[in-house]
Each structure stands twice: as C-alpha cells, then as structure tokens.
Amino acid sequence: MARPFTFEIVTPDKMLFVSEEVTYVGFRALSGGMGIEAGHIPVIATLDIAPLKLRLTDGTEKSFAVCGGFLEMQNNKCTVLATIAEPGDDIDVARANAAKERAEARLAARTESLDVDRAKCALKRAVARLRAKEILGRK
C-alpha cells in the first residue's frame, strides 16, 4: 500500500480541500506533467491551467480543475496555492461545454477587437474543467 501524505488546496477565498490520506498527486506544471508520491524531493512548481488528480488511500480518486498557481511539496506535505480551483464533482458539464463553444467561436471569428490570449485562456479553462469531470467518470 502506498504511503499517504498531507495535501491541501488553498484559493484566495478559502481552504478548498485538505486530506492526510493522499497517496498520489498528478498535475501539469508549466514545464510539463508531474506526479508526486510520499517521500518526493522538495519541489515548487508553477501550475498550468489543467486538471489535478488525487488518489486516496482507499483507492478513490478526486479531481480539480486548477487555473494557475503554485504547488509546493516539502516534508510529506503538498500545498497547492491556486488562483482558481474547482472540485471535479462540482463542475457543470453543460456550462463548461457552453464556455468552450463560446471561446472556440470567438477564436474562429478572429475579429479585430478580439483579445486572442484571453480567448485562448477561456478555452483552456473550459477544457480543464471538462477533463477534471471526465477523470471522475473513468472509474
């Protein structure tokens, strides 16, 4: 059985999630995909807009849509300071699909007034939300 470690997600307005029963964290940093287990060397990573996956000691998985921030692992404690984070269980698929379609339409139209970076970020956030929800359905 994998050894557990403490994990927490903190957003600007609340402590979103805390557990001492996490055995694995999978996430995407700006430098690429990473996974962390107990005993991992100290690390600080800048988070990309992407799903974050947790595995708990009982074998269940949780997911979160994370939109930027930082992750720190030190002394068997992993802390995520996220700009925005949403539990996969709370994601409204219809709303996320609508946001994805709006962003894709804006990018396809490419009007002169379009803020391309903002539209790409909106699309990336919507996709991250959909993928975080999808992770829960794989079991």
Side-chain angles (χ1 to χ4, degrees):
M1 177 182 211
R3 293 180 322 173
F5 57 92
T6 302
F7 177 84
E8 60 189 21
I9 297 178
V10 183
T11 65
D13 39 329
K14 65 182 168 184
M15 177 71 77
L16 183 64
F17 181 82
V18 178
S19 176
E20 294 183 1
E21 300 298 318
V22 172
T23 60
Y24 174 80
V25 178
F27 62 97
R28 191 166 67 222
L30 291 180
S31 58
M34 294 181 69
I36 289 181
E37 293 181 332
H40 196 284
I41 62 169
V43 65
I44 295 176
T46 304
L47 297 172
D48 200 353
I49 298 171
L52 179 141
K53 176 181 161 182
L54 303 178
R55 188 172 308 121
L56 304 176
T57 54
D58 65 3
T60 61
E61 293 181 349
K62 293 196 175 288
S63 68
F64 296 85
V66 176
C67 298
F70 298 92
L71 176 142
E72 177 188 36
M73 176 66 166
Q74 186 170 359
N75 299 323
N76 275 337
K77 181 179 181 185
C78 185
T79 303
V80 169
L81 301 173
T83 308
I84 299 169
E86 184 176 3
D89 289 332
D90 294 352
I91 292 171
D92 179 335
V93 173
R95 186 172 163 238
N97 270 321
K100 179 180 178 265
E101 290 169 7
R102 281 192 309 273
E104 288 171 337
R106 282 194 302 266
L107 287 167
R110 293 274 180 166
T111 63
E112 192 173 304
S113 63
L114 176 68
D115 183 339
V116 175
D117 290 336
R118 185 175 176 193
K120 284 181 180 178
C121 259
L123 178 58
K124 203 170 182 180
R125 283 191 305 272
V127 169
R129 293 176 77 229
L130 290 168
R131 289 190 54 227
K133 186 71 170 186
E134 181 183 291
I135 287 169
L136 297 174
R138 289 186 196 157
K139 289 215 74 156

